Amino acid sequence: MSIKKFLNLFLKNLCIGCRTPAELNRYGFCPSCERKVVFIENPPDSQNLHILRYEGPVKDAICGFKYNRKTYYGKRFALLVYDFIRDNKLESFDAIVPVPLHWKKEFRRGYNQSAIVSINLASLLKKECLCGVLVKVKNTVSQTELSESERKKNVKDAFSVRRAGLIEKKKILLFDDVYTSGATTAEAKKTLLAAGARSVIVLTLSRA
Ligand SMILES: [Zn+2]
């Protein structure tokens, strides 16, 4: 056993997917989970980019991050997003804006998972992270049970911009953890553009 492997086991470095102690890759997955992680091929020049398929160990890791207080996963995910941005030469934006949660939801959860990744990502890229500029003003119901048209209606006017001067004429990277129908990010993007952002690229860690 290598010293590194021994130390990893000793320090109980648990895989973010299956929670077993193992030698982990850069993103926190063990070799077995790493093989099950599926990277998404985005069409060229897409303004809606997604990195991983929301399934298997990726889904388990994101659920742990969101619902099980594994906030330290945020650093691992930020590294993954950082590598994606570097590999795809997407660095030419000014600021990162996380998709916000309604304050009641954030209060219950204790944190906004997308903001945690965005803050870590901003520090890796030496960019500005604008938390609190885009706010969720409507406490929408869960999108999972809704049809596509109901989803759009559900998120309509759900967001608002505070201190619009901070995003005015800026190229924004809008970040979220999971992309499902795209209704949420589309509405958030529309709100940022209406408030004066020059452009908005949507980037999500995963796509359902
Ligand atoms: Zn694993």
Side-chain angles (χ1 to χ4, degrees), residues 14-20 22 24 28-34 36 57:
L14 303 179
C15 168
I16 66 169
C18 66
R19 308 284 303 147
T20 51
L24 307 179
F29 288 108
C30 71
S32 158
C33 285
E34 187 182 15
K36 295 177 204 146

Side-chain angles (χ1 to χ4, degrees), residues 147-173:
S147 71
E148 201 175 319
S149 65
E150 285 171 330
R151 283 175 186 220
K152 275 191 191 141
K153 213 161 125 193
N154 186 33
V155 294
K156 194 174 183 313
D157 302 322
F159 299 99
S160 176
V161 167
R162 307 260 188 271
R163 295 184 296 156
L166 290 172
I167 56 158
E168 209 175 78
K169 298 194 178 75
K170 280 187 186 161
K171 292 182 183 175
I172 303 294
L173 183 90

Side-chain angles (χ1 to χ4, degrees), residues 27-99:
Y27 312 129
F29 288 108
C30 71
S32 158
C33 285
E34 187 182 15
R35 282 193 292 275
K36 295 177 204 146
V37 171
V38 182
F39 283 81
I40 292 174
E41 285 272 341
N42 291 284
D45 300 321
S46 175
Q47 299 294 295
N48 267 302
L49 301 161
H50 321 290
I51 306 177
L52 306 170
R53 274 200 197 292
Y54 185 66
E55 61 185 27
V58 171
K59 188 174 176 180
D60 293 340
I62 292 176
C63 286
F65 179 45
K66 269 170 100 159
Y67 307 118
N68 219 356
R69 304 202 155 259
K70 303 279 185 261
T71 49
Y72 65 95
Y73 288 8
K75 268 193 178 167
R76 302 282 202 176
F77 291 138
L79 262 182
L80 210 151
V81 181
Y82 172 76
D83 288 349
F84 177 86
I85 286 174
R86 297 287 297 264
D87 292 347
N88 291 279
K89 301 188 172 50
L90 298 167
E91 299 102 323
S92 69
F93 59 87
D94 303 306
I96 305 166
V97 171
V99 170

Side-chain angles (χ1 to χ4, degrees), residues 93-99 112-134 163 166-167 170-175:
F93 59 87
D94 303 306
I96 305 166
V97 171
V99 170
N112 172 2
Q113 69 284 352
S114 296
I116 292 176
V117 178
S118 297
I119 291 163
N120 283 291
L121 178 64
S123 101
L124 289 168
L125 288 164
K126 304 193 172 43
K127 302 259 187 198
E128 204 178 2
C129 178
L130 298 171
C131 291
V133 172
L134 183 68
R163 295 184 296 156
L166 290 172
I167 56 158
K170 280 187 186 161
K171 292 182 183 175
I172 303 294
L173 183 90
L174 178 64
F175 177 79

